[in-house]
Amino acid sequence: MMKQSAWRQMTEPGFWAGVLVVLCTLSVGADVHQALKTPSMLSKVLQRHKRDWKWDKLYVHEEMPPKHPPEKIGKLENTYFTPSARYNLSGDGANKIFTVNDNGDILVHAKLDREEKSIYRLTASLFNVDSKKQLDQDDSFVIVVLDINDNSPVFPPDISGSISESSRAGSVVMSVKATDADDPTTQNGMVGYKLLNGTDLFSINYNGEIRTLTSSLDREKQSQYLIAIQAKDMPGVNQRGNSATTIVTVNINDINDNIATFKSREYRFNVKEDSEPGYQIGVLAVEDKDEIQNKDPTFTIHKFGEVFDIKQSNTKDGALSLKVPLDYETLKAYVFSVNVDEHTVSKSPDNRGPNLLTRAQVVINVIDVDEPPVFSQTLYNFSIYEGPFKNPIIGAVSAKDPDATAYKIRYSIEDPNCPVVVDPVQGHLSLKKQLDREEESSYTIQVTAHEDVPNGLKSYAKVNLTVLDINDNAPVLTNGNGVYVCESDKPGTIIGTVGAHDKDENSGRFRFTLAKKSSNFSLTDNRDNTASIKLKQGGFSTEHSVEHVLEIEIADGGTPEQKSTERLTIKVCMCQAERQVEYCMAYAQTGMSVSAILAILLCIVTILVIVILMVLRRRYQKEVLVTKSSGEIHEQLVRYDEEGGGEMDTNGYDVSILSSACNDGSFRPATGPSLYAVVKKPSACKGDMAMMIEVKKDEADHDRDGIPYDTLHIYGYEGSESLAGSLSSLDSSSSGSNLDYDFLHEWGPRFRTLAQLYGVDGSDTDSSD
Ligand SMILES: *[C@@H]1O[C@H](CO)[C@@H](O)[C@H](O)[C@H]1NC(C)=O
Ligand SMILES: *[C@@H]1O[C@H](CO)[C@@H](O)[C@H](O)[C@H]1NC(C)=O
Ligand SMILES: *[C@@H]1O[C@H](CO)[C@@H](O)[C@H](O)[C@H]1NC(C)=O
Ligand SMILES: *[C@@H]1O[C@H](CO)[C@@H](O)[C@H](O)[C@H]1NC(C)=O
Ligand SMILES: *[C@@H]1O[C@H](CO)[C@@H](O)[C@H](O)[C@H]1NC(C)=O
């Protein structure tokens, strides 16, 4: 069978909306799709062989309410159709929206919406109702939903655009676009635009492009326009179609088209005379209708441009500032004029007119301030020679009160260590003491000037005092250590080079000469502030400890010339090749080291002696402790205590007993105040050791508990005031030579044998130990 195509003209009630060509084909699936998507294929009649299907009227209008009975939109036909054959549908909406009856009629059961689904793809099959056997191959077909104008154009929300003021006519402001859901290939989906107002300023074309109609848009007059725009489908067809309106905001952007003008004809400011340079005096307010970023005024100052400066402020006004300090006493007021100019991109009509203030007068009143004294210089620079001076005056400072009051000024130097004093009235600076450049070569002195009134203002000046040099220092030798003579040195060898140093500055050239001729060395002045020492004859040996001293006279060449004679000790050394020192015999240093060694030895000996003495002392104390009972020690202590009182201590002694003993010469060892006192008496009176020894002996013989003989040494400490007199061997020599050696007992146990040898009773000493 041949495949057929169908043409159908679609009509909306009342008018021809257009012609829709629908191709119905009997073809294999893919080809059908292709055919429908490609408009050029629509008019083509496609022919297929071996196909026995036939389609008819396969399109349906959208938005049609379902009818009863359902509307037939087409018919399936197949050459294999028999009364026992049945059609079946499958695919989009099959058996729900679209059904097929036994005759092959396709019925629609629902209202369709093209904007929801515009094409339904279905497959038809034919089978035997009894055997369910398929009678022909399945075939696909489409049902096209035809559009009606059921949607209105829709604008996006909040549309706005902008254009600079004074833009030329025809400039594009913005584009608007409304969308319509209907088929865009038909009038139903096409949109046209129209301005509802503002048509004197703007226009809109069919694309929705808004343009200006005038170049006189002025932000300063109106910065924003709201214009109403209508969008309508079915453009070109009046009274038909759906429409929508929106309000579009058109902002007018600012450009610099207005000039700046002064807000006032005169500006007045007061400025204190002590204001610092850079001080912001004030602002000359300026009028400029443009937005701040488009204001660009420039200012010109017509007089006193060296004193004042005017610049654009942050607010684009004129900021007036001070360039130099003012002085009320010089000028009390400044009057000058200032111009404001502005280069504008385009001229606003407002820029013309006789009343525009582009020039203003500025009046600055200087306010008087009490000012501190002003020195004639902030830094004074004086110099004076070091050393003794004839005239102590260095120079003078001067300061004045700049105010009209003109107070007297007094000068002072606050630093008490300053070597300079200032005359409080005249400002003369003079030296307090002699200066030494080599100690301190310059001084910075602060001089104070203050108004000679209570609470007067102060100011300060610096005085830089440079101490000038005089040649007052003699040169000294340098490099002396590098001069030595080697045993192997041949005559003529330069054995070293010496230099000189002088604390004074710029002391010319040093001159070197030998103060004393030397048979062994010669000296050559190198005329470059050094001198070389040359060997005249060899034969030096480290074995001969002879000191080689060269006396060199150095003159510093200054005025007055200063000279010094320096002793250069030359070492004799043992050297290797190229005068490399191996060992030196340095006399001066050897002498030094000998004395050092001696000193060290002396120290060691002293320390040794001290150590030995300490050891001995310890041993002695130990023996005493070991050999004496604690009771005896106690006794000894008691006696030492009493001894402090001497003769005058009547508590410790019974002086009457003592006196009586002296008077009658007799002594009874009876019940004395103390054993000690009793023991003393005889010797005290007679001055005779024999007497005392006798008493002592008796006592020892009769009283075994008495004091040991050793304690006789107590008498030795009685002192000159003692009635007992001296115990010295000279005085007591007459009483027997065997008693002269009592002091041996004082010397401790080590001298016991000696004491025994010199006449002390052996039995007594034995018992005491
Ligand atoms: C018709 O087609 C539908 C879907 O393809 C299927 O479910 C149904 O069984 C078919 N009817 C017959 C009688 O073959
Ligand atoms: C246009 O109409 C809108 C709405 O009525 C109004 O807000 C707007 O100001 C008008 N614009 C002009 C330029 O007249
Ligand atoms: C100060 O005086 C010294 C010597 O009198 C001079 O060398 C120096 O340049 C002077 N300095 C100033 C700052 O005047
Ligand atoms: C003072 O004078 C000396 C010598 O001219 C100079 O080196 C020094 O910088 C000066 N000091 C001041 C503070 O000017
Ligand atoms: C010169 O050197 C010799 C040793 O070499 C010495 O004996 C003599 O005293 C020296 N002469 C002088 C003037 O130092």
Side-chain angles (χ1 to χ4, degrees):
M1 276 231 21
M2 297 284 286
K3 189 178 64 174
Q4 291 184 351
S5 65
W7 290 80
R8 178 157 182 164
Q9 277 185 317
M10 299 301 301
T11 57
E12 278 284 297
F15 80 97
W16 290 95
V19 180
L20 178 71
V21 181
V22 177
L23 173 68
C24 300
T25 55
L26 289 167
S27 66
V28 192
D31 291 353
V32 171
H33 302 168
Q34 191 65 35
L36 279 163
K37 278 179 188 162
T38 316
S40 63
M41 302 282 279
L42 286 174
S43 57
K44 265 194 182 170
V45 176
L46 297 175
Q47 299 210 337
R48 288 286 186 275
H49 301 285
K50 296 173 184 176
R51 275 288 170 269
D52 305 311
W53 287 95
K54 181 181 156 196
W55 311 121
D56 193 18
K57 291 187 181 177
L58 287 165
Y59 45 87
V60 60
H61 291 282
E62 64 169 335
E63 303 295 340
M64 299 295 274
K67 291 176 185 148
H68 292 284
E71 189 189 358
K72 173 188 165 189
I73 58 164
K75 190 175 173 62
L76 293 179
E77 285 180 62
N78 193 289
T79 44
Y80 297 113
F81 185 75
T82 59
S84 61
R86 291 290 183 272
Y87 293 103
N88 196 7
L89 285 181
S90 62
D92 299 338
N95 304 321
K96 287 190 188 91
I97 300 169
F98 304 105
T99 55
V100 63
N101 63 14
D102 295 352
N103 297 328
D105 298 331
I106 294 173
L107 307 172
V108 59
H109 295 271
K111 189 170 88 170
L112 301 181
D113 184 0
R114 191 203 67 88
E115 282 71 41
E116 217 170 74
K117 190 166 175 68
S118 58
I119 287 182
Y120 290 84
R121 297 170 199 284
L122 293 145
T123 304
S125 52
L126 183 70
F127 59 93
N128 185 290
V129 75
D130 302 317
S131 63
K132 306 283 184 218
K133 198 173 155 247
Q134 200 163 346
L135 300 176
D136 193 3
Q137 275 186 308
D138 292 354
D139 204 357
S140 305
F141 65 102
V142 297
I143 298 170
V144 176
V145 183
L146 297 175
D147 187 41
I148 63 162
N149 192 10
D150 58 342
N151 286 286
S152 305
V154 176
F155 280 107
D158 303 330
I159 319 171
S160 68
S162 64
I163 180 120
S164 292
E165 58 178 328
S166 305
S167 292
R168 61 181 175 76
S171 302
V172 175
V173 180
M174 60 189 294
S175 279
V176 294
K177 185 151 190 69
T179 50
D180 191 312
D182 288 325
D183 188 350
T185 60
T186 67
Q187 290 277 58
N188 297 342
M190 290 176 184
V191 181
Y193 303 92
K194 195 171 107 183
L195 289 183
L196 297 182
N197 62 8
T199 46
D200 50 334
L201 299 173
F202 303 101
S203 66
I204 192 163
N205 68 6
Y206 60 92
N207 282 328
E209 203 171 59
I210 302 174
R211 289 171 186 265
T212 55
L213 289 177
T214 168
S215 63
S216 61
L217 288 174
D218 188 357
R219 188 200 67 88
E220 285 74 38
K221 286 210 181 84
Q222 187 169 353
S223 63
Q224 195 180 63
Y225 292 88
L226 299 175
I227 47 178
I229 295 176
Q230 186 194 58
K232 191 176 82 65
D233 56 17
M234 296 198 163
V237 182
N238 288 336
Q239 277 103 41
R240 284 193 179 276
N242 303 318
S243 66
T245 53
T246 188
I247 304 287
V248 168
T249 308
V250 175
N251 292 309
I252 308 301
N253 293 339
D254 187 48
I255 62 166
N256 185 4
D257 59 343
N258 286 282
I259 58 164
T261 55
F262 285 116
K263 283 185 178 166
S264 167
R265 282 183 194 283
E266 190 182 80
Y267 296 87
R268 290 181 160 268
F269 301 100
N270 293 333
V271 181
K272 285 187 184 175
E273 63 172 327
D274 64 349
S275 301
E276 301 275 321
Y279 170 71
Q280 295 295 317
I281 296 169
V283 162
L284 312 190
V286 153
E287 172 81 52
D288 183 340
K289 287 181 193 155
D290 290 324
E291 287 178 353
I292 189 151
Q293 74 276 10
N294 292 318
K295 295 181 185 182
D296 190 20
T298 54
F299 300 90
T300 326
I301 196 160
H302 287 291
K303 206 177 159 190
F304 301 121
E306 70 287 351
V307 182
F308 303 101
D309 194 19
I310 184 162
K311 285 205 177 81
Q312 241 180 49
S313 72
N314 290 339
T315 55
K316 306 285 174 93
D317 292 307
L320 192 64
S321 63
L322 193 62
K323 270 181 168 173
V324 293
L326 301 180
D327 184 14
Y328 174 81
E329 285 74 29
T330 311
L331 191 54
K332 292 179 176 54
Y334 293 83
V335 179
F336 52 92
S337 58
V338 171
N339 259 38
V340 61
D341 300 289
E342 184 168 11
H343 173 76
T344 55
V345 179
S346 91
K347 291 270 180 267
S348 161
D350 298 344
N351 290 349
R352 283 180 293 273
N355 297 326
L356 293 179
L357 283 175
T358 56
R359 192 180 180 100
Q361 195 175 57
V362 177
V363 179
I364 307 263
N365 288 310
V366 184
I367 310 289
D368 192 20
V369 169
D370 186 16
E371 290 165 295
V374 177
F375 275 96
S376 59
Q377 280 168 255
T378 50
L379 174 70
Y380 292 90
N381 195 14
F382 296 124
S383 60
I384 191 149
Y385 277 101
E386 62 173 330
F389 49 82
K390 287 183 199 133
N391 179 8
I393 301 287
I394 300 165
V397 295
S398 82
K400 264 195 221 155
D401 181 4
D403 295 316
T405 52
Y407 292 123
K408 262 195 200 154
I409 303 297
R410 292 189 76 83
Y411 305 94
S412 59
I413 291 175
E414 275 154 26
D415 180 8
N417 298 325
C418 180
V420 172
V421 285
V422 65
D423 181 281
V425 178
Q426 304 293 330
H428 290 305
L429 297 170
S430 52
L431 282 184
K432 258 199 282 197
K433 59 169 194 188
Q434 186 172 322
L435 302 179
D436 183 2
R437 191 202 67 91
E438 283 71 43
E439 225 168 66
E440 185 105 50
S441 65
S442 76
Y443 294 86
T444 302
I445 300 155
Q446 183 172 278
V447 182
T448 311
H450 56 98
E451 296 170 353
D452 195 8
V453 284
N455 297 323
L457 296 171
K458 276 184 185 178
S459 63
Y460 305 92
K462 274 215 170 107
V463 173
N464 189 359
L465 178 62
T466 308
V467 184
L468 301 177
D469 188 39
I470 58 173
N471 194 15
D472 55 351
N473 285 283
V476 292
L477 195 67
T478 57
N479 266 0
N481 284 342
V483 184
Y484 58 90
V485 60
C486 288
E487 285 185 331
S488 53
D489 279 345
K490 299 271 177 312
T493 311
I494 291 175
I495 60 165
T497 304
V498 292
H501 172 74
D502 192 334
K503 281 197 236 164
D504 292 317
E505 65 181 11
N506 187 32
S507 57
R509 194 181 70 71
F510 295 111
R511 281 181 291 108
F512 301 86
T513 46
L514 277 185
K516 220 194 277 171
K517 279 254 154 56
S518 166
S519 55
N520 292 333
F521 307 102
S522 68
L523 180 130
T524 315
D525 192 334
N526 293 333
R527 299 183 175 277
D528 61 351
N529 293 335
T530 64
S532 305
I533 294 162
K534 206 189 265 181
L535 192 61
K536 270 187 182 167
Q537 57 181 43
F540 286 86
S541 164
T542 49
E543 279 154 30
H544 300 124
S545 51
V546 180
E547 197 176 9
H548 300 283
V549 174
L550 215 50
E551 285 187 13
I552 301 174
E553 190 184 83
I554 312 166
D556 65 4
T559 356
E561 189 164 68
Q562 295 278 346
K563 284 184 184 176
S564 66
T565 305
E566 299 267 315
R567 278 168 63 86
L568 174 67
T569 306
I570 299 172
K571 295 174 274 185
V572 178
C573 299
M574 210 131 81
C575 303
Q576 294 172 337
E578 300 193 348
R579 308 195 78 236
Q580 268 207 309
V581 175
E582 206 170 66
Y583 160 77
C584 282
M585 188 85 184
Y587 307 98
Q589 276 166 5
T590 314
M592 284 280 285
S593 63
V594 163
S595 67
I597 288 166
L598 276 177
I600 291 164
L601 277 174
L602 210 72
C603 280
I604 293 170
V605 168
T606 312
I607 290 165
L608 263 173
V609 167
I610 289 168
V611 167
I612 289 167
L613 284 176
M614 279 175 72
V615 167
L616 286 177
R617 190 164 165 262
R618 281 180 72 109
R619 270 185 63 190
Y620 167 73
Q621 284 175 345
K622 232 180 180 173
E623 278 174 34
V624 168
L625 285 172
V626 166
T627 53
K628 286 194 177 176
S629 73
S630 58
E632 280 170 333
I633 291 166
H634 174 69
E635 223 169 22
Q636 294 262 7
L637 287 171
V638 169
R639 283 171 197 147
Y640 283 120
D641 187 32
E642 286 181 353
E643 218 174 14
E647 288 288 293
M648 308 311 287
D649 187 356
T650 48
N651 297 330
Y653 302 85
D654 187 350
V655 183
S656 58
I657 293 171
L658 196 73
S659 310
S660 67
C662 287
N663 293 336
D664 62 13
S666 68
F667 175 65
R668 286 177 295 110
T671 56
S674 77
L675 190 54
Y676 170 61
V678 172
V679 171
K680 283 201 301 184
K681 279 169 210 163
S683 68
C685 292
K686 305 277 179 182
D688 185 1
M689 285 300 273
M691 180 68 176
M692 188 269 296
I693 297 291
E694 283 304 314
V695 173
K696 185 68 198 167
K697 270 174 77 183
D698 278 352
E699 189 193 312
D701 289 341
H702 297 108
D703 183 10
R704 299 302 292 181
D705 296 323
I707 344 152
Y709 198 62
D710 279 357
T711 56
L712 276 174
H713 72 274
I714 294 161
Y715 294 98
Y717 294 111
E718 276 289 307
S720 59
E721 293 297 317
S722 174
L723 290 173
S726 172
L727 279 177
S728 105
S729 59
L730 290 172
D731 287 352
S732 57
S733 61
S734 59
S735 57
S737 64
N738 63 326
L739 295 176
D740 287 354
Y741 303 102
D742 278 349
F743 61 85
L744 289 173
H745 290 287
E746 292 176 40
W747 289 14
R750 262 176 300 286
F751 297 90
R752 191 193 308 144
T753 322
L754 212 57
Q756 283 167 2
L757 282 174
Y758 282 83
V760 178
D761 192 350
S763 63
D764 273 342
T765 30
D766 283 346
S767 70
S768 71
D769 277 341

